Amino acid sequence: VPVPEAATCLVQIRLPCGREGSTSHQREFLSTAPLQEVHEFSGECLRAEGVYETFKLVLPPRQVLGDAELLMSLADLRLLPRVAFTVQLSSSDGVVRAAPRAGEQFEEAFLTDVREFLKAEGFMAWEAERWVDLVAGQVQRGEMLRLRRTVQAIFGGQRKPHTIRGWCDRVDRTPAMPQDPPPRDPAMRLLAEFCSFTQVEREALGLDLAVLAGGAGPPAVGL
């Protein structure tokens, strides 16, 4: 007598991240569900851990599942009634992510995390590169407080990746530095703030002197 096929599949996902170095998640899927649904669930689990990079699902011992398998059902892949996957991050291909507290590797990991987050959030390529250029300039110049504000603008209330989260915690514990009082005149305050921006920051914000001057436009060219 043939054994009836299971209607569901219990899926376990093992992530290479978490407080203890790795973490696992489980969910039950319909046997007819495509592997793509498991892939999307894995992405949600990664984002909850502050990881936004691309990844692949791997079956033990080392079978990496590609785009073709994502379109197949769990039943067609013969994974019923239960299966365990590990998640292979793109950083395993040589991208620096386990960064030290300072130095070139830290900067590279910081920028990688920003770039992967923007990609995962669906930013257009040119828009993402503008943000990455802005962050890269602030990192290289050591503009700590500006960088902290930029990071907050990018991530908002979402969980930050480990490298960036650790840096933000250190900055937030840094004692406030005394600053000169701003000019009393509102126009002079606006001009001083504009002059403090770098060229990359001005372009990212879409600011120019013509805007500050009330949209006067470019100066006339004499004949």
Side-chain angles (χ1 to χ4, degrees):
V1 178
V3 177
E5 190 174 77
T8 60
C9 180
L10 182 62
V11 176
Q12 182 182 61
I13 301 295
R14 185 175 180 83
L15 308 179
C17 53
R19 293 183 178 179
E20 298 180 358
S22 64
T23 185
S24 297
H25 298 265
Q26 283 192 167
R27 177 179 289 183
E28 198 169 52
F29 291 84
L30 292 175
S31 60
T32 55
L35 185 63
Q36 178 66 40
E37 290 188 13
V38 178
H39 191 275
E40 292 172 357
F41 169 63
S42 304
E44 293 172 4
C45 295
L46 283 172
R47 288 191 289 275
E49 296 289 343
V51 177
Y52 298 91
E53 61 180 299
T54 55
F55 65 93
K56 293 180 180 179
L57 296 175
V58 181
L59 278 172
R62 295 181 181 179
Q63 181 185 352
V64 180
L65 303 178
D67 294 340
E69 287 83 4
L70 292 179
L71 302 176
M72 300 174 66
S73 72
L74 298 175
D76 291 338
L77 290 168
R78 300 182 182 278
L79 300 177
L80 309 182
R82 60 179 60 85
V83 64
F85 295 101
T86 57
V87 170
Q88 178 180 296
L89 300 177
S90 60
S91 58
S92 62
D93 296 329
V95 178
V96 175
R97 190 168 298 279
R101 294 173 66 88
E104 292 182 1
Q105 282 196 326
F106 173 84
E107 295 178 7
E108 184 179 346
F110 198 103
L111 295 176
T112 296
D113 281 340
V114 171
R115 187 176 287 108
E116 293 289 353
F117 172 80
L118 296 173
K119 181 178 178 181
E121 291 298 298
F123 279 63
M124 291 180 287
W126 64 266
E127 185 182 13
E129 284 306 310
R130 280 293 187 90
W131 279 109
V132 171
D133 289 344
L134 176 62
V135 171
Q138 292 174 340
V139 168
Q140 293 168 4
R141 293 187 297 272
E143 296 172 350
M144 186 169 63
L145 297 181
R146 284 187 185 175
L147 179 58
R148 181 66 180 89
R149 291 194 295 269
T150 302
V151 167
Q152 185 60 34
I154 292 173
F155 288 91
Q158 299 197 59
R159 186 173 176 84
K160 301 176 183 66
H162 175 74
T163 297
I164 296 178
R165 188 165 67 249
W167 178 84
C168 289
D169 290 343
R170 295 200 300 274
V171 172
D172 292 343
R173 293 194 300 268
T174 302
M177 300 296 292
Q179 298 181 355
D180 294 332
R184 292 185 178 181
D185 181 60
M188 293 302 297
R189 276 204 308 272
L190 179 61
L191 182 59
E193 181 69 15
F194 174 80
C195 292
S196 71
F197 292 155
T198 66
Q199 183 61 35
V200 173
E201 289 173 320
R202 294 171 190 173
E203 291 179 358
L205 296 172
L207 293 175
D208 57 38
L209 287 173
V211 173
L212 293 178
V221 178
L223 298 177

